[in-house]
């Protein structure tokens, strides 16, 4: 078991090295364009040269990477050109919004995926299964930004239930806070629940053919109890894997929703910095979201093993 | 007891597969009185398992019980019961144990919970006394340290222990009928005997009726009061155990009896087996479905289906055109 | 087996409808210049955000032309009075270019890397798959933004960076399929009689793994169209004034309170196109699975 964790930790370490290296070299190994692109099309040759100097583009690349990495490890992501402050501070201040959005959207997508997945698996091929499955298939073709606009149109312009944009921090009251995040979270959920529902449905169909489900039925237990208490947990391993991948993706993918709904999260910080050509901030955001993505995936990988006592046993026995 | 606890009449079950319809259980009828055991014997694929599941309506969606079938349990027809009423019977009236004790216990649920859930649901017991009762039940089925076992998962138990747990679960709500579908097939021989003795003991203690399904004629012969031999979805011979053993009328029953290995046989005696394959139930067959494998089969056997009749005594019936050992 | 349904029947009506839609979009995009359309950036300031069906007049760009031509805006105009239908058709060029070319990049490079990994195994496989996994360890959209940020957003860069991102998944599929096929007797036999590796790969492996790879590529097409749409929606895609579906949707969002058609039509067209590619890929995969079952 310890050997397995060590192996996974080693892998995590290498991926982190790769990820930081790619982030770093992306700027530093690309042709002279980089400085030009950062400076923007209206810049003079002098400005470009200054940026090149600022970035230290003339020193040895490996030395620069190590110096930079050393600073990053200490939490120093540099200083923002535009915001006139530390990049790390800006990221930390935006983080709660993104995390809150993420948690809420994950909850909402599970609230959609689990009941529908279970109902469809209970009567596969039935009218309700066909209806839900084809709706889900159709929803896979709706990009998240289209979903966001559609929901804004329905819920804020047409029905006037929820605000279309703007964010109320928790300090403004938990109710206002959640209300301002509900539509963005629902936008993400409406797109992300589909793969969750599909894997749960297919795994559950397999589980429902197991003997212990027959045994549970022979005990005279009601169908909803059997579905949720006996069948759900053994059917949810793939669901959790996909969910983990999604959480990772959302860390990097929340920028679209944050932009549509004008939420002050990490994603919007990144987009804003790109438009503002705030080099240090862009690098910091990319590095942060990438590392968050890698670590979330690692955590899910570990969690996965602990959820199923059979896998836990394999790991303890050392067969894993 | 004037009426049987369980009365099955003309039970017929179809299974709809992609390749077509299979009639897995054909017009099966039998009666079972309280405290008695009926053994249902046949090769794999003869429809025994489907028969068991049909009785409690535990069939998959692609199986269908025909209208003419009647199942009367405890004086009440279960044909038109709602799912809720059926659940009442499944949990409290009749319980079932299955062949493979590993796969019939939920792998991600603690033993304690699997035993208590019927107590909680059917008997509306509280959590605490239910756990106490679960421990008693586990003790009753011969599990040594129940308070420790209830916190374990099925994979931490041996095969024999798991089947004991399954029995404890089945007995939790004191059912009147226990359906045991090959309860010992997946177990070691030594454990088999222990489990069967346990079942015997519990049956007498609780005055339960039991349906013992097995492919092992020897096992049925020494544990059951009556035996029904199934072939191709039908009961082909049905009699009290000792009568059937002493005087089998149907050549198939005879062949099954011959296939039991005997201890008094000298070493290296070749095992008797029945030549040919069990019938393909997809293809309808006009005559007796054992005819292709029967050495005594004549034209009539191949062309016309024999009915279940009794020619000498009330309690011995068989379906055969050329029965063995006519008592003159 | 004589009266088994033909391929045509097996694929079903949905498949053919989707295919017709895709063909229509491709043809319109290809021959956009030949169609009687106003230019994609011709503005009619008299009719900004006009509803579908409005009849407008176009001031020709050539000053000497005194007679303005009449035009019907079937899908209405956008906020700058540009014909939405025209912009949709020209926008299809971007979406289709990205959607159809990027999977080819992934198919080519990923295919080669995956085949090498699956065929030679050992250290080659370890190194190739470790690199692929590291790329996959990146969140795609962030990497995409980073690349386009540093390279500058134009169609070529978007296609290259998106194509790069699809390489690992193609490599995985190619590897898995190659592994299965190189276990087969006929490959083992070819190797044993000393046929050279390149010849085995070209004659035995490629023909066998090509179909599953192509079907996967169809699914990638939808991802890529959506990814390009996301970039354009964020304003980081193909720079204006080149029309793109994502950019049009973003423009429409600004006037959503007044009128819906500005974002509705591009959203609808994009949805139908992505859905069609999904359905085509799905039907073909089912067909292949069914055929695999028969073998």
């Amino acid at each position: 078991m310890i050997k397995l964790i060590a192996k996974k930790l080693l892998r995590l370490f290498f991926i982190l090295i790769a990820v930081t290296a790619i982030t770093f070299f992306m700027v530093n190994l690309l042709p002279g364009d980089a400085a030009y692109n950062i400076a923007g099309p209206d810049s003079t040759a002098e400005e470009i040269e200054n940026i090149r100097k600022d970035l230290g583009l003339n020193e040895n690349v490996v030395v620069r990477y190590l110096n930079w990495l050393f600073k990053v490890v200490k939490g120093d992501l540099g200083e923002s050109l535009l915001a006139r402050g530390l990049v790390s501070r800006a990221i930390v201040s935006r983080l709660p919004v993104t995390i809150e959005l993420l948690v809420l959207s994950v909850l909402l997508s599970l609230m959609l995926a689990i009941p529908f997945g279970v109902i469809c698996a209970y009567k596969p091929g039935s009218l309700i299964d066909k209806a839900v499955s084809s709706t889900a298939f159709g929803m896979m073709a709706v990009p998240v930004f289209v979903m966001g606009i559609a929901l804004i149109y329905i819920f804020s312009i047409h029905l006037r239930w929820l605000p279309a944009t703007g964010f109320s921090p928790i300090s403004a009251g938990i109710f206002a806070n959640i209300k301002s995040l509900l539509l963005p979270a629902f936008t993400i959920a409406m797109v992300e629940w589909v793969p969750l529902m599909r894997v749960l449905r297919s795994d559950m169909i397999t589980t429902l053919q197991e003997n212990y489900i027959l045994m549970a039925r022979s005990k005279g237990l009601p169908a909803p109890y059997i579905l949720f208490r006996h069948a759900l947990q053994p059917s949810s391993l793939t669901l959790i894997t996909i969910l983990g991948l999604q959480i990772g993706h959302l860390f990097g993918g929340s920028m679209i929703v944050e932009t549509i709904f004008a939420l002050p999260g990490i994603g919007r910080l990144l987009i804003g910095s790109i438009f503002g050509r705030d080099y240090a901030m862009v690098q910091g955001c990319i590095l942060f979201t990438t590392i968050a993505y890698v670590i979330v995936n690692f955590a899910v990988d570990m969690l996965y093993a602990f959820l199923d006592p059979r896998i836990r046993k394999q790991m303890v026995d050392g067969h894993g | 007891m004037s009426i049987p606890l369980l009365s099955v009449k003309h039970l017929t079950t179809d299974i709809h597969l992609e390749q077509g319809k299979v009639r897995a259980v054909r017009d099966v009828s039998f009666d079972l009185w309280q405290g008695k055991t009926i053994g249902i014997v046949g090769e794999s694929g003869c429809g025994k398992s489907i028969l068991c599941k049909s009785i409690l309506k535990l069939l998959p969606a692609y199986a269908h019980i025909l209208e003419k079938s009647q199942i009367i349990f405890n004086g009440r027809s279960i044909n038109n019961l709602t799912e809720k009423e059926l659940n009442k019977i499944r949990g409290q009236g009749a319980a079932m144990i299955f062949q493979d004790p590993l796969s019939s216990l939920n792998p991600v649920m603690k033993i304690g919970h699997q035993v208590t859930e019927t107590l909680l649901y059917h008997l509306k017991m509280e959590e605490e006394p239910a756990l106490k009762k679960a421990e008693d039940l586990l003790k009753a089925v011969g599990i040594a340290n129940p308070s420790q076992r209830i916190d374990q998962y099925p994979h931490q138990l041996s095969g024999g222990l798991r089947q004991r747990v399954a029995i404890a679960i089945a007995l939790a709500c004191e059912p009147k009928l226990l359906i045991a579908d090959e309860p010992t097939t997946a177990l070691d021989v030594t454990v088999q005997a222990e489990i069967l003795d346990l079942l015997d003991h519990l049956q007498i203690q609780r005055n339960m009726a039991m349906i013992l399904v097995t492919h092992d004629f020897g096992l049925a012969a020494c544990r059951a009061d009556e035996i029904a031999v199934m072939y191709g979805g039908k009961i082909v011979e049905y009699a009290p155990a000792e009568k059937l053993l002493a005087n089998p009328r149907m050549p198939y029953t005879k062949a099954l009896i011959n296939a039991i290995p005997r201890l008094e046989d000298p070493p290296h005696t070749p095992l008797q087996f029945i030549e040919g394959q069990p019938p393909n139930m997809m293809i309808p067959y006009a005559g007796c479905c054992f005819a292709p494998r029967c050495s005594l089969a004549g034209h009539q056997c191949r062309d016309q289906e024999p009915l279940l009749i009794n020619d000498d005594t009330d309690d011995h019936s068989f379906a055969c055109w050329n029965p063995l050992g006519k008592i003159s | 087996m004589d009266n088994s349904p033909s391929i045509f029947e097996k694929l079903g009506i949905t498949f053919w409808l989707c295919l017709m839609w895709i063909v229509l979009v491709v043809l319109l995009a290809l021959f956009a210049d030949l169609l009687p359309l106003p230019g994609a950036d011709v503005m009619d300031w008299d009719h900004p955000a006009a509803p579908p069906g409005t009849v407008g007049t176009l001031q020709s760009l050539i000053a000497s032309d005194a007679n303005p031509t009449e035009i019907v805006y079937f899908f209405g105009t956008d906020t700058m009075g540009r014909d939405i239908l025209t912009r949709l058709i020209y926008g299809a060029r971007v979406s289709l270019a990205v959607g159809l070319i990027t999977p080819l990049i992934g198919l080519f490079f990923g295919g080669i890397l995956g085949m090498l990994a699956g065929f030679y195994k050992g250290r080659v496989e370890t190194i190739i798959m470790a690199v692929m996994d590291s790329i996959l360890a990146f969140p795609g959209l962030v990497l995409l933004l980073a690349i386009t940020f540093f390279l500058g957003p134009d169609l070529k860069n978007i296609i290259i960076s998106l194509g790069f991102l699809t390489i690992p998944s193609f490599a995985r599929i190619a590897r898995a399929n190659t592994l299965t096929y190189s276990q087969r007797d006929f490959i083992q036999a070819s190797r044993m009689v000393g046929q050279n590796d390149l010849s085995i790969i070209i004659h035995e492996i490629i023909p066998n793994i090509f179909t599953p790879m192509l079907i996967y590529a169809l699914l990638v097409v939808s991802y890529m169209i959506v990814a390009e749409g996301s970039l354009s929606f964020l304003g980081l895609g193909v720079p204006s004034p080149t029309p793109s579906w994502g950019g049009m949707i973003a423009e429409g969002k600004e006037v959503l309170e007044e009128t819906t058609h500005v974002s509705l039509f591009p959203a609808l067209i994009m949805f139908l196109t992505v859905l069609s590619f999904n359905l085509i890929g799905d039907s073909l995969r089912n067909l292949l699975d069914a055929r695999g079952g028969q073998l």
Side-chain angles (χ1 to χ4, degrees):
Chain A
M1 166 100 129
I2 289 165
K3 208 172 137 193
L4 189 88
I5 293 176
K7 216 166 123 188
K8 284 194 188 286
L9 274 173
L10 193 71
R11 201 181 117 79
L12 175 71
F13 177 75
F14 278 116
I15 287 185
L16 284 178
I17 292 289
V19 155
T20 50
I22 293 175
T23 312
F24 179 79
F25 290 118
M26 202 143 43
V27 197
N28 292 277
L29 279 192
L30 289 172
D33 273 358
Y36 173 79
N37 276 316
I38 291 160
D42 304 326
S43 56
T44 62
E46 200 182 334
E47 278 170 335
I48 293 177
E49 193 48 43
N50 280 338
I51 290 175
R52 290 185 69 83
K53 243 181 230 159
D54 272 357
L55 302 180
L57 286 181
N58 304 321
E59 279 174 57
N60 180 308
V61 165
V62 179
V63 173
R64 279 185 358 239
Y65 168 65
L66 290 177
N67 283 339
W68 173 79
L69 189 63
F70 193 63
K71 278 206 249 167
V72 167
V73 171
K74 284 196 296 186
D76 179 6
L77 291 171
E79 226 166 298
S80 160
L81 299 172
L82 282 183
R84 307 252 164 245
L86 288 176
V87 169
S88 50
R89 192 169 298 159
I91 290 179
V92 169
S93 73
R94 300 294 192 99
L95 191 57
V97 182
T98 300
I99 290 184
E100 220 186 317
L101 174 66
L102 224 125
V103 170
L104 202 58
S105 53
V106 165
L107 286 179
L108 285 175
S109 43
L110 285 177
M111 278 162 66
L112 286 168
I114 291 176
F116 281 120
V118 169
I119 290 171
C120 290
Y122 180 50
K123 293 253 158 80
S126 65
L127 200 64
I128 184 159
D129 175 38
K130 280 182 186 149
V132 171
S133 293
S134 15
T135 309
F137 192 86
M139 279 168 111
M140 274 206 311
V142 182
V144 72
F145 52 93
V146 171
M147 184 63 76
I149 291 178
L151 292 181
I152 287 182
Y153 181 72
I154 297 169
F155 289 104
S156 32
I157 294 177
H158 202 73
L159 297 171
R160 306 202 167 274
W161 286 353
L162 293 163
T165 52
F167 173 72
S168 312
I170 295 195
S171 53
I174 185 84
F175 182 73
N177 174 246
I178 289 192
K179 200 175 163 190
S180 70
L181 281 174
L182 206 54
L183 211 47
F186 195 52
T187 301
I188 297 177
M190 286 289 272
V191 174
E192 301 290 337
W193 76 283
V194 174
L196 296 178
M197 190 282 281
R198 284 164 70 113
V199 295
L200 178 62
R201 176 182 174 278
S202 83
D203 282 4
M204 192 114 175
I205 287 176
T206 316
T207 305
L208 288 179
Q209 286 160 3
E210 296 280 348
N211 276 334
Y212 58 83
I213 298 300
L214 187 65
M215 170 91 169
R217 285 178 63 206
S218 83
K219 287 155 101 173
L221 301 168
Y225 179 89
I226 293 176
L227 289 172
F228 286 97
R229 195 65 187 75
H230 276 266
L232 186 57
Q233 200 193 335
S235 317
S236 57
L237 289 179
T238 326
L239 177 92
I240 286 160
T241 315
I242 302 281
L243 190 67
L245 288 174
Q246 282 185 349
I247 294 175
H249 273 298
L250 289 178
F251 250 109
S254 62
M255 63 190 77
I256 294 173
V257 170
E258 286 176 12
T259 305
I260 298 176
F261 294 94
L263 299 176
I266 304 260
R268 193 146 154 264
L269 181 66
L270 173 59
I271 298 290
S273 316
I274 287 178
F275 280 114
R277 309 215 151 266
D278 190 344
Y279 158 77
M281 194 70 98
V282 171
Q283 198 182 35
C285 287
I286 289 176
L287 189 69
F288 179 82
T289 47
T290 307
I291 289 178
Y293 177 75
V294 171
I295 289 180
V296 167
N297 281 343
F298 172 77
V300 170
D301 204 23
M302 297 304 298
L303 181 75
Y304 181 78
F306 281 90
L307 270 168
D308 189 323
R310 288 167 295 180
I311 295 178
R312 208 183 310 153
K313 180 177 190 287
Q314 277 175 13
M315 287 176 77
V316 173
D317 294 349
H319 299 305
Chain B
M1 272 287 153
S2 57
I3 57 159
L5 174 71
L6 175 73
S7 182
V8 174
K9 291 196 174 82
H10 311 296
L11 179 60
T12 305
T13 304
D14 284 347
I15 295 181
H16 300 269
L17 298 173
E18 246 172 70
Q19 306 93 310
K21 188 180 80 177
V22 172
R23 183 148 289 181
V25 177
R26 306 176 183 210
D27 204 26
V28 164
S29 304
F30 63 86
D31 289 331
L32 179 62
W33 271 265
Q34 188 157 5
K36 298 289 181 192
T37 300
I38 181 170
I40 294 177
V41 187
E43 291 167 290
S44 356
C46 72
K48 320 171 279 207
S49 257
I50 302 286
L51 170 64
C52 294
K53 288 170 194 161
S54 302
I55 293 171
L56 287 183
K57 297 209 172 164
L58 286 173
L59 293 164
Y62 50 83
H64 176 67
I65 301 176
L66 265 64
E67 284 290 323
K68 64 174 177 182
S69 318
Q70 258 201 327
I71 297 161
I72 298 160
F73 180 76
N74 217 4
R76 193 167 166 219
S77 165
I78 68 166
N79 278 30
N80 301 314
L81 292 187
T82 62
E83 193 64 15
K84 206 171 173 180
E85 291 166 316
L86 268 175
N87 275 339
K88 201 90 190 144
I89 290 182
R90 285 176 191 149
Q92 286 182 275
M96 196 158 170
I97 48 181
F98 297 89
Q99 178 171 347
D100 182 1
L102 174 58
S103 64
S104 57
L105 294 176
N106 191 327
V108 298
M109 200 182 264
K110 285 179 180 172
I111 300 292
H113 188 81
Q114 300 196 47
V115 181
T116 52
E117 58 185 5
T118 45
L119 301 172
L120 300 173
Y121 179 71
H122 291 297
L123 306 183
K124 310 275 177 250
M125 284 173 80
E126 298 288 322
E127 191 84 35
E128 286 281 314
L131 270 174
K132 185 81 201 53
K133 177 151 188 207
E135 285 185 27
D136 293 342
L137 281 163
L138 291 179
K139 206 178 282 170
V141 296
I143 292 177
N145 37 0
S147 53
Q148 202 182 319
R149 295 292 183 199
I150 56 172
D151 280 326
Q152 288 183 319
Y153 289 97
H155 64 78
Q156 293 168 296
L157 273 56
S158 69
L161 275 183
R162 283 183 208 133
Q163 196 60 299
R164 284 172 194 270
V165 171
I167 294 171
I169 293 172
L171 296 179
C173 295
E174 321 232 317
K176 294 193 172 72
L177 169 66
L178 183 64
I179 302 175
D181 184 1
E182 306 248 12
T184 58
T185 308
L187 303 174
D188 291 343
V189 184
T190 46
V191 183
Q192 280 189 12
E194 283 173 34
I195 296 286
L196 288 169
D197 288 342
L198 172 69
L199 283 175
D200 254 3
H201 168 74
L202 293 166
Q203 186 185 12
I204 295 162
Q205 190 185 37
R206 290 158 196 249
N207 197 22
M208 279 188 305
M210 184 151 86
I211 299 177
L212 181 62
V213 176
T214 176
H215 62 272
D216 182 344
F217 197 98
L219 190 153
C222 50
R223 305 281 174 178
D225 301 295
E226 286 184 317
I227 292 180
V229 178
M230 268 185 96
Y231 191 81
K234 284 189 298 191
I235 290 185
V236 291
E237 189 158 10
Y238 178 30
E242 61 275 14
K243 249 187 197 175
L244 194 66
L245 205 55
N247 185 23
R249 307 299 306 274
M250 168 82 191
Y252 177 64
T253 314
K254 176 85 178 160
L256 279 179
I257 294 171
N258 285 343
I260 309 170
R262 276 160 236 278
L263 279 178
E264 61 268 24
D265 284 343
H268 308 297
T269 306
L271 275 176
Q272 295 280 327
F273 61 94
I274 309 166
E275 272 180 58
Q277 295 292 316
N280 181 349
M281 313 250 276
M282 296 285 299
I283 305 159
Y285 190 74
C288 165
C289 47
F290 186 60
R293 299 166 78 183
C294 183
S295 55
L296 303 173
H299 283 297
Q300 195 181 21
C301 300
R302 295 198 183 89
D303 299 339
Q304 214 179 338
E305 194 176 339
L307 297 172
L308 197 63
I309 48 148
N310 31 2
D311 70 351
D312 47 358
T313 45
D314 284 348
D315 54 0
H316 192 159
S317 47
F318 52 89
C320 187
W321 295 119
N322 292 323
L324 302 158
K326 271 196 180 113
I327 302 166
S328 44
Chain C
M1 293 309 259
D2 288 329
N3 48 9
S4 65
S6 64
I7 294 268
F8 187 90
E9 289 165 48
K10 264 190 204 160
L11 286 167
I13 184 78
T14 335
F15 173 86
W16 296 105
L17 282 177
C18 291
L19 194 65
M20 275 161 62
W21 171 256
I22 302 286
V23 168
L24 178 72
V25 174
V26 169
L27 287 179
L28 284 176
L30 275 180
F31 299 110
D33 294 331
L34 304 178
L35 298 170
L37 296 167
D41 42 9
V42 173
M43 303 171 201
D44 179 351
W45 286 112
D46 296 333
H47 300 96
T54 305
V55 180
T57 47
L58 274 185
Q59 233 38 79
S60 175
L61 291 176
I62 308 159
S64 63
D65 192 345
N67 298 324
T69 39
E70 274 209 344
I71 179 171
V72 181
Y73 301 119
F74 289 104
F75 285 5
T77 61
D78 69 2
T79 47
M80 287 194 264
R82 296 174 294 194
D83 181 33
I84 287 182
L85 179 63
T86 308
R87 291 180 67 74
L88 280 175
I89 290 174
Y90 280 94
R93 289 181 161 187
V94 174
S95 290
L96 290 176
V98 173
L100 297 175
I101 298 174
T102 45
L104 294 181
I105 298 177
L107 188 69
F108 183 74
F109 292 103
I112 290 179
L113 290 170
M115 273 192 300
L116 291 178
F119 192 74
Y120 289 108
K121 298 182 208 156
R123 190 162 292 171
V124 181
E125 184 183 22
T126 315
I127 293 171
I128 290 178
M129 292 331 280
V131 173
M132 295 295 117
D133 284 350
S134 309
I135 299 176
L136 278 180
F138 264 94
L141 192 55
V142 174
L143 194 58
L144 182 63
L145 277 182
I147 298 176
T148 47
F149 172 61
F150 293 118
L151 286 179
D154 66 23
L155 191 58
K156 185 187 83 210
N157 287 343
I158 290 172
I159 290 178
I160 292 174
S161 42
L162 271 174
F164 173 73
L165 288 177
T166 60
I167 293 176
S169 46
F170 277 105
R172 281 189 165 190
I173 291 174
R175 172 179 157 269
N177 281 296
T178 309
L179 275 177
T180 343
Y181 278 105
S182 40
Q183 301 300 323
R184 300 264 171 104
D185 290 343
F186 63 93
I187 305 265
Q188 301 283 6
S190 312
R191 290 185 103 164
M192 244 177 291
V193 297
Q195 205 175 348
N196 80 43
D197 291 351
L198 186 67
S199 154
I200 296 177
I201 288 181
I202 290 175
H203 292 115
E204 312 286 0
I205 306 268
I206 291 183
N208 278 310
I209 68 168
F210 197 66
T211 322
M213 299 267 302
L214 206 63
I215 287 174
Y216 178 70
L218 270 174
L219 296 178
V220 172
V221 171
S222 346
Y223 281 122
M224 291 303 114
I225 292 177
V226 171
E228 187 279 324
S230 309
L231 273 184
S232 298
F233 180 81
L234 290 172
L236 295 164
V238 182
S240 58
T242 313
S244 67
W245 293 347
M248 294 172 73
I249 296 171
E251 277 166 33
K253 189 205 165 232
E254 302 307 320
V255 291
L256 200 60
E257 294 221 33
E258 293 89 49
T259 177
T260 49
H261 74 272
V262 183
S263 53
L264 178 70
F265 287 112
L268 199 66
I269 299 296
M270 190 164 180
F271 169 72
L272 287 177
T273 309
V274 172
L275 183 69
S276 298
F277 276 112
N278 282 349
L279 282 169
I280 288 176
D282 214 48
S283 321
L284 286 180
R285 196 171 37 180
N286 288 342
L287 187 74
L288 188 79
D289 286 352
R291 209 158 12 126
Q294 277 171 22
L295 286 173

